[in-house]
Amino acid sequence: MSSTDTLRTSADDAAGVEAGLDALETVPLQRTPVTVVLRRKVLPPVLGVVVVLAVWQLAYSLELTTPDKLPSPADVWDSLTELWYAGTLFSIIWTSVWRGLSGFLLSVLIGTPIGLLVAQVKPVRAALGPVLSGLQSLPSVAWVPAAVIWLGINNSAMYAVILLGAVPSIANGLIAGVDQVPPVFLRAGQTLGATGLRGARHILLPAALPGYLAGLKQGWAFSWRSLMAAELIASSPDLGLGLGRYLENQREFTNMSGVLLGILLILTVGVAIDLLFFSPLERHVLRSRGLLVTTR
Amino acid sequence: MTTALTTSPDAPGAGHPDGDFAVRLSHVHKTFGRPGTAAPVLDDISLTVAPGEFVTLLGASGCGKSTLLNLVAGLDRPTSGTIDVPGGRPALMFQDHALFPWLTAGKNIELALRLAGVAKAERQAEAERLLELVRLGGSYKKRVHELSGGMRQRVALARSLAQGSQVLLMDEPFAALDAITRDVLHNEITRIWAERRLAVLFVTHNVREAVRLAERVVLLSSRPGRIAREWRIDLPQPRRIESAGVADLSIEITEELRGEIRRHVQH
Ligand SMILES: Nc1ncnc2c1ncn2[C@@H]1O[C@H](COP(=O)(O)OP(=O)(O)O)[C@@H](O)[C@H]1O
Ligand SMILES: [Mg+2]
C-alpha cells in the first residue's frame, strides 16, 4: 500500500459507483391501488355469479321443467330467510363449521409430525410414502361405513372421516415442501452452524413453508368435503343439525329450494374459509419471498 | 501507474512452510463413489493459506475447485489426507447468494450471528454495523428479492462476516454479475480483506479476477485436480483489473491454463 491518498480517492469513487448501481438496479415495488384490485379481482367473479343467476332465472321463467325440480332464485332466497327467522341458520352453519375446523386442526396436529418423519427418515418414507399418496387419492367418503361400524354414528366417526381425508393431504404437502427446499439453503445453513434440530427450525421448516401451506389449504378442502359426505350419510339425533344433515332432510321432504340452499351454503362456507384465511396467508408468505408474480 | 511486477513461480504447494497458518491441506485426495472405480477429482493437494493471506484458486470448470472448497468448509470429507482449519468453521460464500428469502437482509445476518452465539441484545446493532460495512446501511428491512444481484452478494458477504471466522472461503461469488458490478465488488472485498485481516481462499475460473484480487494465485489442473503452479503477486492494492500489470500477468497465467487444458486432447 504505497499511497493512502490514491487509496482514499479510489475508495470514494467506488462508493459513488456502488451507490449509483444500487439506485439503478433497485426496482421500486408498487402496490396495486384498491380500485384496480376491485376492477380486476372482485368484479369478474361477481359478474360470473350474476350471469349464473340470470341463466337460472331464465330457465325458470321458460318453464324448462317443473318448479318442484327447479325452483326460482327467489324461492331459494325465501328458504334462506325462513331459516334466518326461525333462528336456526347460524346454529346449522356453526355445527358443521366447528366440526370441520376442529377436525382440520386435529389433522394438522397429526399430519405435520407424520409429514416431517416421512420427509426426513428414509426407511419411514419407503414404508409410508406410497401409503400416504394412495390415501390421498381415495375419496374419504369411502371410509364412512367403516367409521360408523367401528365408532358408531357419533362425532368420533365424523372426526375419523375428516382425519382420513385431511391428514394425507397435509402430510404430503409438507413432504413436497421439504423436498423442494433448494439444497443450497441447507448447505448455507450448515456452514452457518445450523445442523440437526437448529437446522430444522431455522432453515428446513421456514424453507418448506410454501409447500406446507399448499398442503394445509388442500387439507381444509378435504376436511370440509369429507365432513359433508359423512353428515349426509350418517344420521343420528346425537349429531345435531349440521349443513349436510340439513341438506339430506330437505331431500327427504323433497323440498328442492331447501336442497339448493343447502348446496349453496356448503359451497359458500368452504370458499369463505379459504378466502378469509388460507388465501391471504398463502399470498402473504409468497409475496414476502418474492414468489408471487404480480399480474399487470 | 504500473509498478514493479514480480512473479515468482514457487514450487507447487510451497506456501508458508512453517509456523502459523489459517488453512492447511496436506496430501488431500478426493474420489466420489467407491475408491478404485471412479477417477479421483482431487489428487494430492497440499496447500497452506497464511493468516491474513488472500489466495485465489484458479482452474477450468469441472476441475474440482468447488469440491476443494467444500472439503475445507467441512461440508464433505476427503477420501484421504488431512485438512486443518485451526480457527474453527470457516465462512463460505456461494456463487448463488444463498440468502434466505423468508428473512429480511438484516435478519439473514442476525441468524448467522445467533448461530455463532452472539447475545440477543447485540445482534441487531451488529447486523446494522455489518450492513454499513458493505455499504448497505439502509437495507436492513429489505427482502432478498428487492435487492439487485450485487446487493445480494454484499448482504451474503456481510452474513459470512457475521460468523466471525478469520477464514473466508468464496466459491466464484461474482461469476454471475455484470462487469461493472463485479469491479465494484472487487474493490469491496479488497477493502474488507485489508481492514479485517482475513485469510481468503477465493475460487474462480476468471484469470484477471484471480490476478486482480490475490497475493497468491494457485493454478489447479483438471482431471485429476492437482496444483499445477502458483504465482506470488506483489502489485499494490487496490489494483485495477484493466491495468497493464494485471493484464501482463493474466496473459502469462492464461497461457499456462491453456496448456493445462490442451493436455486433455485425446491422442
Ligand atoms: N457429489 C458429487 N458426486 C459425484 N461427482 C461429483 C460430485 N461433485 C462434483 N463431482 C465431480 O467432480 C468434478 C469437479 O466438480 P467441481 O468441484 O464442482 O468443479 P468446479 O467447481 O471446479 O467447476 C466434476 O467432474 C464433477 O462432475
Ligand atoms: Mg464450482
Side-chain angles (χ1 to χ4, degrees):
Chain A
M1 319 273 153
S2 48
S3 144
T4 38
D5 254 14
T6 49
L7 214 162
R8 175 146 323 112
T9 43
S10 85
D12 288 349
D13 201 36
V17 174
E18 195 163 8
L21 278 177
D22 291 353
L24 280 175
E25 289 186 14
T26 316
V27 187
L29 292 178
Q30 291 170 337
R31 285 221 140 212
T32 13
V34 179
T35 50
V36 176
V37 173
L38 282 178
R39 188 153 42 85
R40 290 189 186 163
K41 292 276 162 66
V42 180
L43 198 59
V46 169
L47 280 180
V49 170
V50 169
V51 168
V52 169
L53 284 177
V55 170
W56 176 3
Q57 179 64 44
L58 190 71
Y60 175 78
S61 306
L62 293 176
E63 295 183 17
L64 293 181
T65 174
T66 50
D68 60 317
K69 291 214 175 119
L70 184 70
S72 70
D75 294 334
V76 175
W77 178 256
D78 288 343
S79 302
L80 180 68
T81 49
E82 206 175 290
L83 272 186
W84 170 269
Y85 287 120
T88 48
L89 178 63
F90 284 108
S91 92
I92 292 176
I93 293 177
W94 182 246
T95 302
S96 291
V97 167
W98 167 249
R99 215 177 258 151
L101 282 182
S102 47
F104 169 71
L105 287 179
L106 203 62
S107 309
V108 174
L109 290 181
I110 296 173
T112 305
I114 292 181
L116 265 186
L117 215 63
V118 173
Q120 290 296 79
V121 187
K122 278 223 177 79
V124 178
R125 170 179 293 228
L128 283 188
V131 177
L132 280 178
S133 313
L135 278 180
Q136 200 179 353
S137 50
L138 175 71
S140 59
V141 60
W143 289 107
V144 175
V148 165
I149 292 174
W150 286 332
L151 301 163
I153 303 182
N154 52 30
N155 264 324
S156 308
M158 301 284 118
Y159 285 127
V161 176
I162 294 180
L163 287 177
L164 286 162
V167 167
S169 297
I170 294 170
N172 281 325
L174 184 53
I175 295 165
V178 169
D179 287 350
Q180 282 157 18
V181 173
V184 70
F185 290 155
L186 302 178
R187 284 171 5 108
Q190 224 177 320
T191 57
L192 293 172
T195 48
L197 275 183
R198 298 214 296 177
R201 171 165 169 219
H202 292 296
I203 315 290
L204 190 68
L205 288 180
L209 190 60
Y212 182 51
L213 278 183
L216 290 185
K217 206 170 133 136
Q218 201 189 37
W220 163 252
F222 277 39
S223 297
W224 188 239
R225 275 181 218 180
S226 324
L227 175 63
M228 288 305 105
E231 283 188 2
L232 268 171
I233 296 174
S235 139
S236 152
D238 296 347
L239 284 173
L241 184 60
L243 279 170
R245 195 67 249 153
Y246 169 82
L247 180 56
E248 182 61 9
N249 286 345
Q250 299 308 303
R251 185 194 64 78
E252 281 164 12
F253 305 148
T254 53
N255 175 7
M256 191 60 197
S257 59
V259 167
L260 284 176
L261 176 63
I263 294 174
L264 288 177
L265 286 175
I266 292 171
L267 180 71
T268 311
V269 169
V271 172
I273 291 195
D274 188 65
L275 280 183
L276 289 176
F277 190 64
F278 293 104
S279 292
L281 194 65
E282 196 174 31
R283 290 172 63 81
H284 170 76
V285 167
L286 294 184
R287 170 170 294 139
S288 69
R289 294 172 186 216
L291 293 174
L292 204 64
V293 184
T294 40
T295 45
R296 294 193 174 257
Chain B
M1 178 74 222
T2 329
T3 30
L5 158 66
T6 2
T7 60
S8 46
D10 296 326
H16 292 241
D18 291 305
D20 158 44
F21 57 87
V23 177
R24 189 175 64 190
L25 293 91
S26 323
H27 307 291
V28 167
H29 293 258
K30 178 68 187 178
T31 307
F32 288 104
R34 259 176 295 123
T37 56
V41 173
L42 295 176
D43 185 29
D44 197 25
I45 303 275
S46 292
L47 174 70
T48 306
V49 181
E53 191 185 18
F54 201 128
V55 175
T56 53
L57 202 60
L58 182 68
S61 49
C63 76
K65 304 183 296 294
S66 298
T67 304
L68 182 78
L69 228 49
N70 285 343
L71 293 177
V72 178
L75 293 176
D76 203 354
R77 273 173 221 283
T79 309
S80 68
T82 56
I83 297 173
D84 293 309
V85 187
R89 188 163 26 82
L92 172 59
M93 243 182 103
F94 305 85
Q95 174 175 342
D96 172 22
H97 54 84
L99 293 172
F100 304 129
W102 56 91
L103 299 172
T104 61
K107 291 286 176 193
N108 262 283
I109 299 171
E110 278 188 40
L111 178 58
L113 291 167
R114 176 178 186 166
L115 292 166
V118 175
K120 191 176 172 142
E122 294 159 28
R123 281 181 218 146
Q124 187 171 349
E126 178 64 14
E128 272 163 359
R129 237 171 41 72
L130 284 164
L131 280 172
E132 288 296 341
L133 181 70
V134 295
R135 301 194 220 260
L136 282 173
S139 300
Y140 186 93
K141 293 216 164 102
K142 287 261 167 63
R143 292 280 178 171
V144 177
H145 67 276
E146 297 175 271
L147 302 170
S148 70
M151 292 159 92
R152 287 174 200 176
Q153 281 302 17
R154 273 142 69 201
V155 176
L157 175 59
R159 187 177 71 178
S160 296
L161 296 174
Q163 272 184 254
S165 171
Q166 279 302 104
V167 178
L168 177 57
L169 310 173
M170 304 177 90
D171 192 356
E172 312 204 32
F174 308 143
L177 302 176
D178 64 87
I180 301 175
T181 307
R182 195 186 308 153
D183 200 34
V184 166
L185 280 159
H186 286 160
N187 291 330
E188 290 297 341
I189 189 66
T190 307
R191 174 176 66 87
I192 289 165
W193 160 70
E195 265 176 43
R196 300 218 154 194
R197 313 292 330 145
L198 298 170
V200 180
L201 186 54
F202 187 109
V203 157
T204 181
H205 61 255
N206 181 331
V207 179
R208 281 179 170 245
E209 179 172 72
V211 176
R212 157 69 185 83
L213 293 171
E215 293 179 289
R216 189 151 58 100
V217 175
V218 175
L219 178 65
L220 219 57
S221 65
S222 299
R223 260 181 274 160
R226 287 199 186 109
I227 293 182
R229 204 177 145 183
E230 55 177 77
W231 291 262
R232 191 163 292 286
I233 301 174
D234 295 328
L235 299 168
Q237 288 281 15
R239 302 167 192 153
R240 297 192 58 127
I241 201 160
E242 354 20 28
S243 69
V246 171
D248 290 347
L249 191 48
S250 298
I251 291 170
E252 181 188 331
I253 297 179
T254 304
E255 272 314 309
E256 192 81 21
L257 179 60
R258 287 183 173 185
E260 279 302 324
I261 294 169
R262 265 196 302 267
R263 285 201 301 112
H264 291 276
V265 178
Q266 299 298 318
H267 332 285

